[in-house]
Amino acid sequence: MEHIRMPKVENVRLVDRSSSRRIQVGTLYLTATHIIFVGKGSEDRNELWVLHSLVCNVVKHKSSQSGYPLLIHCKNFQVIQFIIPQESDCHNVYISLSRLSRPEKYEELYCFSFNPNVDKAEREHSWDFLNLKAEYSRMGLPNKLWHVTPINREYRVCDTYPADLFVPKSVTLPVIVGSSKFRSRGRFPTLSYYCKENHATICRSSQPLSGFSARCLEDEQMLQAIMKSNPGSRFMYVVDTRPKLNAMANRAAGKGYENEDNYCNIKFQFIGIENIHVMRNSQQKLIEVSALRSPSMGEFLLGLENSDWLRHIKSTMEAGIFISKAVAEEGVSVLVHCSDGWDRTAQVCSVASVLLDPYYRTIKGLMVLIEKDWVSFGHKFSHRCGHLDGEPKEVSPVIDQFLECVWQLMEQFPCAFEYNEKFLISIHNHVYSCHYGNFICNSQKERKDLCIKEKSHSIWPHLWESKLDFMNPLFKPDQSQNQGLLRPSTAPYCFKYWRRLYNRFDRELHPRQSELDCLMTIKEETQQLEEELALYEQKLAVLDKERAKTLYMQKGVLDSKQALWSLPLDTSLANTPQDYIGGFIGGAPNVFTLQQGERESAELSLFGDKPKSSDADSSDQESGVADFSSHSSGEESLPSEDSVKYPDSDETGPNRA
Amino acid sequence: MEVAIKVAILIQICLKSVAKSNTKEWKRGSGGVRFLVPLNIMEFAELIKTPRVDGVVLHRPFMPTVEGTLCLTGHHLILSSRQDNTEELWLLHANIDSTEKRFVGSLGTIIVKCKDLRVIQLDIPGMEECLNIASSIEALSTLDSVSLMYPFFYRPLFEVIEDGWQLFVPGEAFKDLESMTDEWRLSEVNKDFSVCPSYPSLLTVPKDIDDESLCKAASFRHGGRFPVLSYYHKKNGMVMMRAAQPLTGTNGRRCKEDEKLINATLCAGKRGYIIDTRTIAVAQQAKARGGGFEQEANYPQWRRIHKAIERSNILQESLIKLVEACNDQSHSMDRWLSKLEASNWQSHVKEILTTACLAAQCIDREGASVLVHGTEGTDSTLQVTSLAQIILDPACRTIRGFEALIEREWLQAGHPFQQRCAQSAYSNGKPRSEAPVFLLFLDCVWQILRQFPCSFQFNENFLIMLFEHAYASQFGTFLGNSVTERVKLQLSQKTVSLWSWVNRPQELERFLNPLYEPNNLVIWPSVAPQSLLLWEGVFLRWNRSTKCLDEAYQEMVHIIEYNKELQNKVNSLRRQLAQLETEDSPLQTP
């Protein structure tokens, strides 16, 4: 609270980014956890709630006649522009927000104050929703070749690894300790995925401390044991996901990669995925492109190309494909590492797992995969997502890339996934929101020390409750091409710009009718029809037998539901033309600019006889819906949206100042 | 004697194919060649030096190779393995855009590049055979005479129930208009096509303008294309007209009749918009060649807006570059995106769509009438007027309505299909008047369809089918450049209309959009680059496996059909129950 210099500012204007003609006046509130904007006058609840933890940066712009603009970029790619009448108010809001959006201590994060209306038992239960032990046993572990080593129970061997780790049974504790000493940050080779059918595994580690010539007998034994734990194979792959040059440079620092001569029966392979800094810059460029206002086609495509983002997605995907093929087709185990083994390694292992195992293409399965490969194995969420004020060079969209790889796969295999893209977007949102405790801290140990489970809630049961919204109506698990290994194409044109994520809040850019929503509604209706049918059949049977005296006709689902999906889903938007005059923004009377620019003023009187025409674009004549709602009501576009909240949601209740 | 044997063999092969008419290629491409083979083989015999080669191997991407016998007929290239379970290839010569040949020893290879953008490879043993086949294909695919085209030889295997040639006559459309307004009349001034050779014989013009004035206005417009009615917006009575550029020339010629004609469409005190599809610079340059644009001084009630839709040769180049990018085998991301960008195709889509939206916006939102023209009024003008109607008029989003739109705004409006579609993306010669104007229009329709997937009665396949038939077809619909030419060619008597075939329920089925629910509203698409996608169904069609996408489509159809089935069941049970109830109740009352 001490950071809030200005709890309330009146007469603030909220500008719609897609068209500065749509402006809403209202009151801006700053609370300990949210920025809240309440629109004035209109009968709709025009409220905008933004979590401080989702704020990426706040920028003051040059003053205009109407006031002092404040631009807020969010980590979920929302861009909000306020215009504040007084300079001092603007400055105070700016200073407050700058501080509020960069908390210095974990205790300041929203998840510690977020207090939904559930009791203690329920909260504790929420953390049991996913169980990694069950996941390993689903894979078929432990078995006669693999078991859990107790060596890291106290996080003494490796403080960034989880407590429970699977290693070959044949490996002794001294070998593990020796191997861990030969690996960056003690991250020794351990199992990530086990393929029941052919015993091949995906193992992960960090880079070896090989320098130019160092070797480590225990580490060599460790790899040998992993190879031997796959009885059918005569060799294993060691995949270094870094570009060769980067790996070689690491040798000078006493790190590096495995020397094929020292390790028996390994095939060593570089896969050039760039480092976190390259990825951060790449995404920054991509975000700039996505936020361009009325770009030309050329600007957009060149910007997309120059960002290199899709090239990085492609190389991550290719690494996943290489590994999944080695496991599924060759039956060969793979050890994956990068430098520390918590960024590229996590990406590549999890992409390979999605390709390999249909389970990870289900809603629960993807949750488990993230919990296992990312959360438990110490992906540094706090650093990578910038939860706390800290080193900006640690921030990198590593998990964004994983989620995007899954999305790209969903585009190629529309029937192979139980979930739809809303699920991925919701996960993305929560990775950054600090709303739940799952993605706080950088390792399991830190989370334990901070008592995350005692002090915050888990996201997974919350997402599970909204399962219906995340279902892919086209999911067909029984189809042969959706079982087993997915073989995606990596032709460049198969990698697309993810509009739903990067332009998530620009509603006017998305299809006005959604195939997905239509099909979901139809499926829901089908289910009701099935129930109704069963009911009627039952009744009919009873009637036939007894010719019962009274038959109570129930009002059918059909009457009320039939028209539901047949209506165009978003008629208010469908009926609002946007600017078709390249980026020219203005009131309707001068919507049409003469390109030659001559007689501009004389021509303006053209619509002088139609004073009402200036309303034509901001309110819809046919449906009568004020189209400003398109900005503030994120409600329809995405379920379980936490950055946009409404007062009726009990979640936000306690925190309203 | 020898010829007779060859013919016999061909007939044998053809008959065999008929027997296996369940194969896809057969069904899709060539609905019935059986009876004409003996006929046209005689006429083309000179061009076919080697009508038949055994042991030819066909390579197609994402399909197994087929080894079999290659046969050339007057209009088709046929490859049959003569095995029961393999697909045959039936390719119209007219569909062949270009060929390349290579030799390795005596094994020759012909790469055939088609106008529908597919590329196939034929390995032909024997150098002489290969050379002969290649030269025959080349000759047969570039026949100059329209009357030698396949539609004149094709006889349908189906019974024509509804003659497509009679479906969309101008008089019928006018009856609809008459029911809404009496401001317009049907003029026969172009009865013998002398006033404007690219216009149809019947034209809708303002009631108060007599034929004499029309003739004068025609002499003031490029190619005689004086302003005519294109669309009447029922909601507010505004109209869209189209024309060619006015012939103002450098000294600012004017024409009172033209001014009067245009002004007659405005209500008292109202003003309208002239949408010139060219940039102001291009329009200025046109003056030097006798063309030009409407001067404000002479048309004070009109406001002119210039847009920048490119001309035909630039569009043709763009198509060639785009297809090159799509066929690029390198796996480099940068190369793909930069080539896609450099082709400018998506920019053209954006510009055309934007202009159409603008026209629609003027009419629907500003309540103003609109006149659209570019230079000749046969290309960009038609793209704009037809797309604007799709946005504004729900009827155009039905199958019949869309067919009528193509008849009205493209065929009868005089888009020179024959010239524009003579070559496609693989033409290596210098383009003459080829241009993917119609394909761009279809691409724009597809973009709107993607954004409003429930508002169209037809699906993507319908648009792809139209693209194919515009470039090569067994039907006569897209032959000729204007109504005049079609009348001279007697197309309606000598060929079958595409609509006669498409509108049969059996065919229509695969063009129906399962998600369709009539939507009576105006639909405003997004024209932001993020919202416009590459039309993969056309441009990547032959470069990818569509197995998973097809499966998704099938699943969608299944979900919807199952839902409808259940609805029917529930409804009938409910009726049954209600009936039982009423039967029972009288028994209870006494």
Side-chain angles (χ1 to χ4, degrees), chain B residues 40 176 276 290-291 427 458 550:
Chain B
N40 72 37
D176 286 345
D276 191 327
S427 59
F458 50 86
D550 293 345

Side-chain angles (χ1 to χ4, degrees), chain B residues 18 63 106 112 154 211 222 267 278 293 372 433 439 474 570:
Chain B
V18 175
M63 286 200 230
S106 67
V112 180
Y154 168 75
D211 283 359
H222 191 120
C267 309
R278 307 161 295 178
F293 52 85
V372 185
S433 40
L439 176 57
Q474 65 268 43
V570 167

Side-chain angles (χ1 to χ4, degrees), chain B residues 61-314:
Chain B
F62 300 102
M63 286 200 230
T65 55
V66 180
E67 189 182 335
T69 303
L70 176 79
C71 292
L72 289 185
T73 74
H75 292 106
H76 283 92
L77 182 158
I78 305 155
L79 190 118
S80 163
S81 67
R82 305 212 214 171
Q83 286 184 7
D84 286 337
N85 48 5
T86 52
E87 271 189 23
E88 285 171 346
L89 174 75
W90 281 74
L91 196 65
L92 264 181
H93 292 316
N95 190 4
I96 295 173
D97 209 18
S98 71
T99 55
E100 280 166 30
K101 44 186 186 289
R102 288 201 298 257
F103 289 97
V104 180
S106 67
L107 180 75
T109 293
I110 304 179
I111 312 251
V112 180
K113 299 182 173 179
C114 303
K115 289 177 188 163
D116 61 15
L117 307 184
R118 122 179 76 163
V119 178
I120 60 170
Q121 181 186 329
L122 297 163
D123 294 341
I124 300 172
M127 188 180 285
E128 199 195 329
E129 284 85 350
C130 182
L131 284 172
N132 283 346
I133 296 281
S135 69
S136 298
I137 294 177
E138 175 122 25
L140 290 164
S141 62
T142 52
L143 292 176
D144 273 336
S145 165
V146 183
S147 58
L148 287 179
M149 302 291 272
Y150 184 48
F152 288 95
F153 298 85
Y154 168 75
R155 291 297 165 265
L157 282 178
F158 58 88
E159 191 191 343
V160 175
I161 297 164
E162 197 180 25
D163 185 1
W165 291 115
Q166 306 308 323
L167 268 185
F168 310 102
V169 286
E172 288 297 311
F174 186 74
K175 274 184 199 154
D176 286 345
L177 181 68
E178 259 185 324
S179 69
M180 298 183 274
T181 170
D182 58 357
E183 299 283 303
W184 299 82
R185 70 182 181 94
L186 215 48
S187 166
E188 294 188 353
V189 69
N190 200 35
K191 202 165 50 187
D192 52 2
F193 306 110
S194 58
V195 176
C196 172
S198 64
Y199 268 168
S201 53
L202 287 174
L203 290 157
T204 310
V205 295
K207 193 180 61 186
D208 301 333
I209 305 296
D210 56 26
D211 283 359
E212 201 181 327
S213 304
L214 292 178
C215 290
K216 286 195 177 138
S219 65
F220 181 63
R221 293 272 172 180
H222 191 120
R225 294 175 68 93
F226 57 88
V228 295
L229 180 79
S230 162
Y231 170 67
Y232 179 85
H233 197 44
K234 203 155 119 190
K235 190 172 109 188
N236 58 10
M238 294 301 123
V239 297
M240 179 160 59
M241 288 177 298
R242 53 178 157 74
Q245 65 176 348
L247 302 173
T248 56
T250 40
N251 47 12
R253 218 157 65 90
R254 64 185 287 189
C255 171
K256 289 275 182 207
E257 287 77 8
D258 187 73
E259 291 158 23
K260 204 177 138 206
L261 166 54
I262 300 180
N263 289 337
T265 65
L266 295 179
C267 309
K270 281 265 186 180
R271 306 173 88 165
Y273 288 98
I274 295 173
I275 296 179
D276 191 327
T277 62
R278 307 161 295 178
T279 60
I280 179 73
V282 174
Q284 288 281 11
Q285 284 162 17
K287 283 185 179 174
R289 289 187 299 275
F293 52 85
E294 295 82 356
Q295 292 295 333
E296 284 83 357
N298 301 339
Y299 298 84
Q301 286 170 280
W302 295 81
R303 179 166 173 195
R304 218 176 56 244
I305 304 171
H306 287 273
K307 298 298 284 180
I309 302 182
E310 287 293 353
R311 284 186 50 81
S312 58
N313 51 343
I314 292 172

Side-chain angles (χ1 to χ4, degrees), chain A residues 16 72 152 161 275 288 307 352 383 425 500 588:
Chain A
D16 190 318
I72 301 171
N152 205 37
Y161 263 174
N275 64 28
E288 280 162 24
S307 78
H383 287 166
I425 293 170
R500 284 271 183 209

Side-chain angles (χ1 to χ4, degrees), chain B residues 364-410:
Chain B
D364 187 66
R365 289 301 163 120
E366 303 301 337
S369 286
V370 171
L371 167 68
V372 185
H373 71 73
T375 305
E376 284 135 341
T378 55
D379 296 295
S380 57
T381 305
L382 305 182
Q383 289 171 330
V384 173
T385 55
S386 51
L387 285 167
Q389 292 180 51
I390 287 168
I391 293 164
L392 293 170
D393 185 1
C396 294
R397 301 172 215 143
T398 64
I399 287 198
R400 277 299 163 100
F402 193 70
E403 290 171 359
L405 181 77
I406 287 174
E407 268 297 330
R408 216 168 54 227
E409 291 298 308
W410 290 88

Side-chain angles (χ1 to χ4, degrees), chain A residues 16-59:
Chain A
D16 190 318
R17 293 261 310 151
S18 65
S19 156
S20 50
R21 272 176 292 162
R22 299 185 202 145
I23 290 180
Q24 199 186 18
V25 181
T27 308
L28 181 71
Y29 299 93
L30 288 186
T31 75
T33 54
H34 286 84
I35 307 162
I36 304 161
F37 176 85
V38 182
K40 207 162 46 184
S42 63
E43 293 194 2
D44 310 316
R45 274 199 326 257
N46 274 325
E47 290 189 21
L48 174 73
W49 290 61
V50 180
L51 265 174
H52 295 323
S53 39
L54 273 173
V55 173
C56 184
N57 63 48
V58 189
V59 189

